[in-house]
Amino acid sequence: MKSESLRDAYGKELVKLGSKDADIVVLDADLSSSTKTGYFANAFPDRFFNMGISEQSMVTTAAGLALSGKKPFVSTFAIFLTRTYEQIRQSVCYNNAPVRFVVTHGGITVGEDGATHQIVEDVGIMSGLPNMNVIVPSDSIETRSVIDYLANVDKPHYVRLSREKFPVINDEDYEFRIGKSITMKDGTDLTIIADGVMVSKSMEAAEQLKKQGISARVINMPSIKPIDRDAIIRSARETGHIVTAEEHSVYNGLGSRVAEVVSESYPVPVRRIGMRDTFGKSGKAWELFSYFHMDVKDIINEAMTCLEEKNYENIP
Amino acid sequence: METYQVDLSEIALRIRREIVRMVYSAQSGHPGGSLSIADILTVLYFKEMNIDPKNPTDPKRDRLILSKGHASPALYATLAIRGFFPISELSGFRKIDSHLEGHVSREIPGVEVSTGSLGQGLGVGVGMALAGRLDHLDYHIYVILGDGEMEEGNVWESLMAGYKYNLRNLTAILDRNGIQLDGYTRDIMPLHDIHSMVESFGWNVIEIDGHSFSEIESAIEKSKTSERPTFIIANTVKGKGVDFMENNPKYHGSPPESEELYRRAMRQLGEEL
């Protein structure tokens, strides 16, 4: 399976959007060569603002641009945006200023830079903000479609991208829809709901489970807020047990949101894969998944545990 | 000219009366830092700014951001008297059935940006000034800051950005009243030499008496033609116009405690009771 960079897809799509829409402006905080907004800076220097290593200034300025009819895209590393939580809350979300935060280097796939740069709390932080939508794309194709969608939104959005290239898993004609999930693989025994890079890992797990005669449904849930409640409840009804997988803390991320939905509407056991109240660490990006028990084998283990529980429940 | 000056004084007095009435009726709010900016708002809204209450979203309008959003009574009173919404609505300030939020809210006609958490308004002003330049519109952005607010790092980041993009359409006005919630700014966190500090960030700095209509007007006129972004240090008196509130940190965030004090304040502000 080929892999592609999500941030590179973002940077190039942004240039395409910029050539069609003169209201698109881009702000970065001295990381444009890493976030790939540098492409836009080269193409449209008058509409690119490098705010320096001053994230609070960047976010409040973006709010002012958005409130004046511009369409600001704001990029830095995920970790550094969260230092401006309160500017995002007050100046962006409370004003309902349609600022598009597209951050890169989310999660543990930052790799060697280590714990200081591997944020695994951001999805939870952003999801708690009124007016904010939160999206975690799974590959480059989905990223491009999300960026196109952002051109004409009327409220704040947070999009989390990665440093590493991710396997390309979506079809070329894929079209992102806010609040909607994609069933990547149908199944009847259990459902795996994932976002980001964990979607491809879940598909791999489902292939291996199939060899053992287990039918796992795999759902790609890029829209964390609003979340696709219908798809979650349907899976709970149709397959029972759910496994969630995210490159994020199990607190306040995808797993928590799924558990909330089933608890309110159709309770089934939900087993969550993700970071368990811990910081990341230095290492090769792809080694870290095994280290933190978030790899394909761990998804398979959770799925097997689900089925054991299910069989136990079925004993007359 | 003389009669015009008298008009501004009457408007400023009326704004001050409404401020005291609002915080007394709500039994909460921030009178001190509202009274200190009443003269500045009077000159801006009744003399200098290009605004039209009948067309509050005109793309060519000038914009004001009250970064010290706790001084909401001053802005609400000014907007109501200027005709953006009925003066009768001021009585709803901070009450559950009203849109007049405790801190400045964008839901209110004439308000550009919701504020209340300090340090953010200048950055929003930078964004609006950049947008004006991109759109080739020559509107002007005014941002009113408190001097306690200068302790926020966000302000200094935005001063750097204002210099970098040479935002001549941006004017910051500092309400230099010397008092913040916990006491005098010189004790809490002194601004050693605010004039040279901001000047060294590349801004055009003008220092004035923030209660002199002619000095306020002249400084704003100069800022409109400046080759650099302008920072006006307006030396003011916190609680200006009410003797027991003047220079008293207690009235940063407290209404008059009694009917007697309320009446005394209103008499001093020209109300015939």
Side-chain angles (χ1 to χ4, degrees), chain A residues 23 25 46-58 60-65 67-68 70 86-88 90-91 94-97, chain B residues 61 63 101 103-106 112-114 117-120 123-124 126-128 130-131 134-135 139 152-154 157-158 160-161 164-165:
Chain A
D23 281 333
V25 295
D46 294 345
R47 286 190 270 145
F48 176 79
F49 304 104
N50 196 328
M51 303 303 290
I53 310 169
S54 304
E55 293 80 9
Q56 302 176 79
S57 167
M58 174 170 69
T60 48
T61 299
L65 283 158
L67 291 171
S68 307
K70 298 292 150 196
E86 212 237 351
Q87 277 78 11
I88 297 171
Q90 313 283 358
S91 288
Y94 186 52
N95 282 305
N96 202 17
Chain B
R61 72 192 183 281
R63 285 128 165 107
E101 271 283 311
H103 289 75
V104 169
S105 163
R106 196 168 157 251
E112 298 288 348
V113 186
S114 300
S117 172
L118 295 174
Q120 303 185 23
V124 178
V126 165
M128 289 187 163
L130 285 171
L134 287 168
D135 289 335
Y139 59 75
E152 289 282 7
N154 197 162
E157 291 185 2
S158 297
M160 286 190 281
K164 176 182 176 182
Y165 293 106

Side-chain angles (χ1 to χ4, degrees), chain B residues 1-12 39-49 82 212-218 220-221 224:
Chain B
M1 198 65 200
E2 196 58 34
T3 53
Y4 171 71
Q5 291 293 345
V6 169
D7 282 347
L8 288 184
S9 309
E10 282 181 0
I11 291 162
D39 299 313
I40 296 164
L41 288 174
T42 299
V43 173
L44 284 167
Y45 277 91
F46 291 86
K47 175 79 175 147
E48 289 292 334
M49 282 172 66
R82 187 69 176 79
S212 158
F213 295 126
S214 60
E215 287 190 32
I216 298 166
E217 189 179 328
S218 152
I220 288 167
E221 281 299 320
K224 286 179 180 174

Side-chain angles (χ1 to χ4, degrees), chain A residues 216-278:
Chain A
R217 178 181 298 180
V218 178
I219 289 179
N220 171 16
M221 186 69 73
S223 182
I224 309 300
K225 188 186 168 200
I227 204 160
D228 190 345
R229 297 180 65 89
D230 292 348
I232 296 168
I233 295 164
R234 198 181 319 119
S235 293
R237 282 183 199 282
E238 292 173 1
T239 73
H241 293 49
I242 292 174
V243 173
T244 64
E246 61 197 305
E247 190 195 340
H248 184 270
S249 172
V250 293
Y251 297 147
N252 304 325
L254 173 67
S256 292
R257 297 298 315 277
V258 169
E260 285 163 18
V261 171
V262 298
S263 298
E264 283 178 351
S265 302
Y266 196 89
V268 298
V270 175
R271 302 189 72 87
R272 298 170 300 160
I273 290 173
M275 297 288 281
R276 295 209 158 258
D277 201 20
T278 182

Side-chain angles (χ1 to χ4, degrees), chain A residues 166-299:
Chain A
F166 287 174
V168 179
I169 54 171
N170 289 289
D171 298 332
E172 279 298 338
D173 61 354
Y174 170 91
E175 196 172 330
F176 171 79
R177 287 186 298 154
I178 191 74
K180 296 294 175 197
S181 62
I182 304 94
T183 302
M184 307 298 285
K185 185 179 177 310
D186 209 356
T188 51
D189 294 331
L190 80 155
T191 301
I192 307 169
I193 302 177
D195 66 11
V197 73
M198 300 305 282
V199 181
S200 60
K201 286 192 179 290
S202 299
M203 288 166 73
E204 209 178 316
E207 285 303 317
Q208 293 189 30
L209 286 164
K210 191 179 169 187
K211 288 174 192 156
Q212 298 176 48
I214 297 162
S215 167
R217 178 181 298 180
V218 178
I219 289 179
N220 171 16
M221 186 69 73
S223 182
I224 309 300
K225 188 186 168 200
I227 204 160
D228 190 345
R229 297 180 65 89
D230 292 348
I232 296 168
I233 295 164
R234 198 181 319 119
S235 293
R237 282 183 199 282
E238 292 173 1
T239 73
H241 293 49
I242 292 174
V243 173
T244 64
E246 61 197 305
E247 190 195 340
H248 184 270
S249 172
V250 293
Y251 297 147
N252 304 325
L254 173 67
S256 292
R257 297 298 315 277
V258 169
E260 285 163 18
V261 171
V262 298
S263 298
E264 283 178 351
S265 302
Y266 196 89
V268 298
V270 175
R271 302 189 72 87
R272 298 170 300 160
I273 290 173
M275 297 288 281
R276 295 209 158 258
D277 201 20
T278 182
F279 290 103
K281 76 177 296 301
S282 285
K284 297 268 181 231
W286 303 108
E287 292 171 350
L288 291 169
F289 286 90
S290 175
Y291 184 90
F292 287 112
H293 307 290
M294 293 160 56
D295 221 336
V296 174
K297 68 173 178 4
D298 303 297
I299 300 172

Side-chain angles (χ1 to χ4, degrees), chain B residues 2-260:
Chain B
E2 196 58 34
T3 53
Y4 171 71
Q5 291 293 345
V6 169
D7 282 347
L8 288 184
S9 309
E10 282 181 0
I11 291 162
L13 265 182
R14 192 169 175 199
I15 291 170
R16 287 194 164 91
R17 285 198 297 274
E18 294 300 341
I19 290 167
V20 172
R21 213 190 318 271
M22 287 162 81
V23 297
Y24 186 66
S25 166
Q27 280 299 298
S28 77
H30 299 78
S34 297
L35 292 167
S36 61
I37 60 168
D39 299 313
I40 296 164
L41 288 174
T42 299
V43 173
L44 284 167
Y45 277 91
F46 291 86
K47 175 79 175 147
E48 289 292 334
M49 282 172 66
N50 173 31
I51 43 156
D52 178 4
K54 291 185 198 69
N55 189 10
T57 58
D58 181 351
K60 288 183 290 222
R61 72 192 183 281
D62 288 340
R63 285 128 165 107
L64 181 132
I65 301 165
L66 184 58
S67 191
K68 43 172 286 181
H70 55 278
S72 51
L75 183 60
Y76 295 167
T78 304
L79 290 172
I81 294 167
R82 187 69 176 79
F84 282 90
F85 59 90
I87 291 171
S88 60
E89 290 181 13
L90 293 176
S91 62
F93 178 57
R94 289 185 169 237
K95 292 172 186 163
I96 195 155
D97 51 357
S98 164
H99 60 158
L100 296 191
E101 271 283 311
H103 289 75
V104 169
S105 163
R106 196 168 157 251
E107 298 297 308
I108 298 156
V111 172
E112 298 288 348
V113 186
S114 300
T115 51
S117 172
L118 295 174
Q120 303 185 23
L122 189 59
V124 178
V126 165
M128 289 187 163
L130 285 171
R133 176 181 292 176
L134 287 168
D135 289 335
H136 306 292
L137 295 172
D138 66 353
Y139 59 75
H140 206 90
I141 309 290
Y142 299 94
V143 181
I144 299 180
L145 300 143
D147 52 359
E149 182 174 15
M150 295 305 289
E151 294 154 22
E152 289 282 7
N154 197 162
V155 176
W156 300 93
E157 291 185 2
S158 297
L159 285 169
M160 286 190 281
Y163 165 74
K164 176 182 176 182
Y165 293 106
N166 197 26
L167 299 171
R168 287 175 290 184
N169 53 348
L170 177 63
T171 297
I173 303 171
L174 180 68
D175 174 25
R176 182 69 163 130
N177 62 39
I179 295 173
Q180 57 193 108
L181 191 146
D182 264 348
Y184 297 96
T185 54
R186 63 174 182 266
D187 299 325
I188 307 298
M189 189 54 68
L191 291 165
H192 164 60
D193 179 354
I194 186 69
H195 191 118
S196 53
M197 283 161 83
V198 176
E199 211 161 49
S200 71
F201 272 63
W203 286 54
N204 168 40
V205 180
I206 303 172
E207 197 159 348
I208 59 164
D209 172 355
H211 299 302
S212 158
F213 295 126
S214 60
E215 287 190 32
I216 298 166
E217 189 179 328
S218 152
I220 288 167
E221 281 299 320
K222 278 182 203 154
S223 82
K224 286 179 180 174
T225 54
S226 170
E227 293 300 309
R228 289 182 291 162
T230 296
F231 191 93
I232 299 171
I233 299 171
N235 291 304
T236 57
V237 174
K238 194 146 183 165
K240 174 76 176 175
V242 178
D243 62 356
F244 60 92
M245 289 187 176
E246 285 193 1
N247 287 318
N248 186 348
K250 181 176 161 188
Y251 291 101
H252 167 83
S254 304
E257 299 89 326
S258 64
E259 176 77 17
E260 191 191 333

